[in-house]
Amino acid sequence: MDDAIGRYPPDQKRSASLPLLHLWQEHFGFISDDAVLWIAAKLGLQPINILELVTFYPMLRQRPAGKTHIRVCRTLSCAMAGSYQLMENLCAATEIQRNGGPEGIHNSISVSPDGNYSVEFVECLASCGTAPVCLINETLRENVDPYSIVDLLRDQTSNVTHQTSPHPLERRLVFKNVGRKDWKIDIETYVRDGGYEDLRKAVTMSREQIVNEVKTSGLRGRGGAGFSCGLKWSFIKPDEKRPVYLICNADESEPGTFKDRYIIHEDPHQLLEGIAISCFALNAHTAYIYIRGEFPEGATVLERAIEEARAHNFLGKNILDSGFDVEVYIHRGAGAYICGEETGLIESLEGKRGYPRIKPPFFPAVLGLYLCPTIVNNVETLCHVKHVIAMGGAEYARIGRPNNTGTRIVCVSGDVQRPGYFEIEVGAVTMGQLIYEMAGGLKAGRMLKAVIPGGSSAKVLRATERFKIKDRQSDGPTIERDLTIDQLPMDFDSLAAAGSMAGSGGVIVLDDSRDMVWALNNINEFYAHESCGQCTPCREGSLWMKKITERMLRGGGVTEDPHTLKTIGDNIAGRTICAFGEACAWPTQSFVEKFPEEFAARANKPVPPPLPPEYTPEELIEEQQIPTAPLAHDPGWEKAGAAGTI
């Protein structure tokens, strides 16, 4: 615990709150009231400062779990692959009676009568290409057979498998070493393969030169927003007197996305080299890797890699005899998707709830971690920095298309033959090539129905749509092309022009067997669970949308529901502090718009009768009789069948 506290500035001990809570829970199994008091005293805080974290972060629990705790992913790709059946069979095999309702804002934990097993549904575990997946204690199990529960419980070792040879349409830079049979993740293998040579080159350059190379490369953030990396870096003043911090955002939580996991697990030194180069360019002497709490093995791999890099003088004091000091620390999250938003991440890193900050004034480059200038970059983005330095910004910019340069990793999951990750030149591969050639096409006898191109928050595209895309030619003029979904280039601008976004690169494919109301309800449940609760439109609206789609699935949908869903979405988007409002509204807006017939088919009941009118105390005294309107009785109108009867 003292070591964990020492990773933060002496006057910022509160940042150690989450690390200490993790350590306590790993040792004792849960966070007791005594733990809250002890950790608060240790850090010089009030007990409420610790309790608010325990009740906010889903991975922290206030009562013991079973000896073997199983977290089953329930988000879209895993649900499509059978995770709900997996949970049902797990409970049957372990004699667990699942709790009916949620425990506060978290999914509830259910324990077997003998205390040996416990289960809970969790949100995306970032291994969508190997769905369904679960965490058994701290071990990831992939491609789980929902009907082989005995084998799952008997063998609790990791069964992680990786793709090997790249597809001919791929161009691997960041993923060059991922899946290599002759590859080991130790520093000796990395250095023997030319590792840290780009750091040696970078420390001989001026900081301005490095920033200019990144600008020239046209590198855009790979975390979801697609903002210019070089432009973001240029917001840090060269003569900045305050400490500058770099944060690597490794909180990969967007359903459908699983690229950063493989970088961390299979090529950690590439990430550390990118971080070290970026720190040198920004004059940042401290970097934090904010990694998902659901990546326990990834955190261990990175800790080991950091020690190796420090022992070889690539991190620590006077790196490579350059006179520059830099330290890199791991900070584990605890299950909150909102901490992927950069200011929510900073709040969490400071030891608080992950409530996003208002921008302006809290642009991280101006007022970030500890109100100091801070740059937040995604794992993949920081890895690309190494390759920009290796080949030069101008050469890197020749890869891909104008304003869409370099390579990017796309993750394909859902109803395809070969789900997985692919690193492609941005814009050089179409949606059709990605689905039918690289991912092996749809399952036998099925047709494409819809694609979510950039993680679950991206607007859905219907397979029968046509898109008008404007293309700027190399010689200047712009032409308009009419494209099918198969012809759509996989780049930032084309997907935005098609009405969706490239986002985090998570492509979820849905075939003609899928119920769009069911798919949207699964997504709505994710966002209702993950809203931080700070903004009323998002906190209330995400839950309303989930309740309406849930009611429609149960046969209680009324004729106004599709319109109500769209109205709720319209009243969330653009009315919240951070972009989570758009993230939860866009799926609903697009699903209802693109598949009106499916939503109308589940919304054919009449509108429920109105509530009785309200009366003032005076009217209640004056009136001899008050008219009443009939209401549905338990179990309630929302559970009534299509005919409106219970």
Side-chain angles (χ1 to χ4, degrees):
M1 285 188 166
D2 290 334
D3 179 60
I5 294 168
R7 297 180 173 200
Y8 307 95
D11 59 340
Q12 301 293 343
K13 284 186 177 181
R14 185 170 181 173
S15 284
S17 299
L18 262 185
L20 265 58
L21 285 165
H22 273 300
L23 287 167
W24 190 287
Q25 183 162 292
E26 286 163 11
H27 189 78
F28 293 105
F30 69 107
I31 311 295
S32 62
D33 290 344
D34 286 342
V36 171
L37 296 170
W38 193 93
I39 292 172
K42 178 78 171 173
L43 298 177
L45 301 172
Q46 295 298 317
I48 189 61
N49 300 138
I50 302 302
L51 183 62
E52 68 171 349
L53 305 185
V54 178
T55 57
F56 181 82
Y57 293 98
M59 289 188 72
L60 303 177
R61 51 181 178 262
Q62 293 176 278
R63 58 189 180 90
K67 292 176 184 175
T68 298
H69 184 53
I70 305 169
R71 300 179 176 98
V72 179
C73 177
R74 57 143 298 278
T75 37
L76 188 56
S77 297
C78 279
M80 291 164 67
S83 64
Y84 279 80
Q85 188 64 53
L86 170 60
M87 175 61 85
E88 191 175 310
N89 293 343
L90 264 174
C91 290
T94 55
E95 300 182 0
I96 291 176
Q97 296 291 322
R98 281 198 69 221
N99 298 334
E103 185 181 282
I105 60 170
H106 305 328
N107 293 328
S108 54
I109 293 175
S110 305
V111 185
S112 63
D114 59 10
N116 287 329
Y117 297 98
S118 58
V119 295
E120 68 172 319
F121 265 137
V122 294
E123 305 306 324
C124 187
L125 289 175
S127 194
C128 318
T130 55
V133 297
C134 63
L135 271 175
I136 302 184
N137 292 329
E138 303 292 275
T139 303
L140 182 70
R141 291 299 302 263
E142 300 181 319
N143 293 308
V144 177
D145 182 350
Y147 299 96
S148 298
I149 303 303
V150 173
D151 294 337
L152 178 69
L153 297 178
R154 183 187 299 124
D155 179 13
Q156 296 176 17
T157 57
S158 176
N159 68 335
V160 174
T161 57
H162 305 303
Q163 296 164 229
T164 52
S165 56
H167 190 275
L169 288 173
E170 285 191 75
R171 176 165 181 177
R172 290 195 175 182
L173 292 178
V174 174
F175 265 23
K176 181 186 76 166
N177 301 320
V178 172
R180 276 176 56 179
K181 290 182 180 178
D182 61 339
W183 185 253
K184 295 180 181 178
I185 63 171
D186 60 80
I187 196 166
E188 285 76 17
T189 304
Y190 186 72
V191 170
R192 198 162 49 242
D193 201 59
Y196 288 106
E197 288 304 312
D198 300 316
L199 176 59
R200 290 185 191 277
K201 178 181 176 181
V203 296
T204 66
M205 301 165 65
S206 72
R207 296 188 169 92
E208 186 180 13
Q209 281 178 309
I210 299 175
V211 173
N212 286 338
E213 289 291 347
V214 175
K215 277 186 180 177
T216 303
S217 73
L219 175 63
R220 294 172 66 167
R222 302 301 198 243
F227 190 77
S228 166
C229 180
L231 181 59
K232 180 187 276 191
W233 283 15
S234 67
F235 295 153
I236 303 292
K237 295 184 294 187
D239 59 345
E240 181 61 63
K241 300 295 188 293
R242 293 171 294 171
V244 177
Y245 292 98
L246 174 70
I247 300 175
C248 170
N249 185 345
D251 191 64
E252 185 176 46
S253 315
E254 179 80 10
T257 314
F258 48 95
K259 57 190 175 65
D260 296 346
R261 168 190 285 281
Y262 293 106
I263 296 171
I264 291 167
H265 281 233
E266 295 200 39
D267 204 358
H269 283 287
Q270 179 186 199
L271 174 58
L272 293 182
E273 186 173 8
I275 288 173
I277 294 169
S278 304
C279 283
F280 183 78
L282 298 165
N283 197 29
H285 297 286
T286 304
Y288 292 101
I289 301 175
Y290 187 102
I291 188 170
R292 292 192 71 186
E294 295 90 338
F295 286 4
E297 184 186 346
T300 302
V301 167
L302 282 170
E303 291 277 14
R304 189 184 309 122
I306 288 169
E307 290 304 316
E308 290 178 332
R310 190 179 286 118
H312 285 72
N313 195 223
F314 298 125
L315 294 176
K317 300 287 185 184
N318 189 25
I319 63 169
L320 297 174
D321 298 321
S322 63
F324 185 72
D325 304 340
V326 60
E327 292 291 350
V328 179
Y329 299 111
I330 305 298
H331 184 100
R332 287 184 67 198
Y337 167 81
I338 194 62
C339 294
E341 195 279 336
E342 59 181 8
T343 61
L345 184 156
I346 289 169
E347 285 284 298
S348 180
L349 188 47
E350 290 183 356
K352 293 174 273 189
R353 288 185 164 206
Y355 284 165
R357 298 173 175 178
I358 296 173
K359 296 186 288 190
F362 294 107
F363 291 113
V366 181
L367 295 170
L369 183 64
Y370 313 132
L371 299 185
C372 292
T374 305
I375 293 295
V376 184
N377 282 138
N378 167 262
V379 168
E380 186 188 349
T381 311
L382 289 166
C383 289
H384 276 286
V385 168
K386 162 190 160 55
H387 298 286
V388 169
I389 297 302
M391 63 178 66
E395 186 65 27
Y396 182 92
R398 291 193 181 96
I399 305 172
R401 306 176 63 191
N403 201 41
N404 295 270
T405 61
T407 65
R408 79 166 308 187
I409 302 159
V410 289
C411 312
V412 185
S413 62
D415 296 320
V416 290
Q417 299 273 16
R418 293 194 302 270
Y421 48 74
F422 307 96
E423 186 171 1
I424 59 174
E425 281 194 48
V426 182
V429 171
T430 65
M431 183 78 78
Q433 287 175 306
L434 181 67
I435 294 173
Y436 295 103
E437 294 181 44
M438 303 178 83
L442 299 168
K443 296 179 180 178
R446 290 296 173 192
M447 295 177 62
L448 183 66
K449 186 172 188 176
V451 178
I452 303 172
S456 66
S457 58
K459 291 186 176 181
V460 68
L461 302 176
R462 187 166 180 155
T464 53
E465 284 185 83
R466 298 192 72 88
F467 310 96
K468 295 192 182 298
I469 307 294
K470 291 182 179 179
D471 261 352
R472 185 180 294 278
Q473 304 302 296
S474 55
D475 54 353
T478 299
I479 61 170
E480 186 173 85
R481 296 194 292 158
D482 185 51
L483 306 177
T484 65
I485 194 169
D486 290 346
Q487 298 167 327
L488 202 57
M490 293 297 295
D491 64 55
F492 293 97
D493 297 341
S494 297
L495 290 170
S500 189
M501 64 176 180
S504 56
V507 178
I508 305 174
V509 179
L510 298 98
D511 67 24
D512 57 354
S513 69
R514 297 300 173 186
D515 179 343
M516 292 296 109
V517 180
W518 175 86
L520 178 61
N521 181 67
N522 184 281
I523 294 171
N524 283 347
E525 190 168 344
F526 171 80
Y527 289 108
H529 179 267
E530 295 297 339
S531 171
C532 75
Q534 184 176 196
C535 305
T536 303
C538 176
R539 179 184 67 245
E540 302 298 326
S542 60
L543 191 60
W544 292 353
M545 292 189 298
K546 175 229 174 188
K547 285 182 174 180
I548 291 173
T549 51
E550 200 168 72
R551 182 179 69 191
M552 293 173 78
L553 285 177
R554 289 177 171 174
V558 300
T559 53
E560 285 295 304
D561 278 348
H563 174 71
T564 304
L565 279 169
K566 183 182 180 305
T567 301
I568 295 169
D570 293 346
N571 280 288
I572 299 173
R575 291 170 169 82
T576 55
I577 286 174
C578 80
F580 188 99
E582 285 74 27
C584 74
W586 284 344
T588 291
Q589 291 171 322
S590 60
F591 270 83
V592 173
E593 177 191 347
K594 301 291 178 67
F595 299 94
E597 69 285 357
E598 295 198 32
F599 284 84
R602 289 185 177 271
N604 47 22
K605 284 176 56 183
V607 177
L611 291 168
E614 293 185 8
Y615 292 89
T616 65
E618 292 76 17
E619 288 173 323
L620 287 170
I621 294 169
E622 291 172 5
E623 295 291 333
Q624 295 296 313
Q625 286 188 320
I626 298 171
T628 60
L631 292 173
H633 296 286
D634 188 73
W637 181 266
E638 71 279 0
K639 295 181 183 176
T645 57
I646 297 169

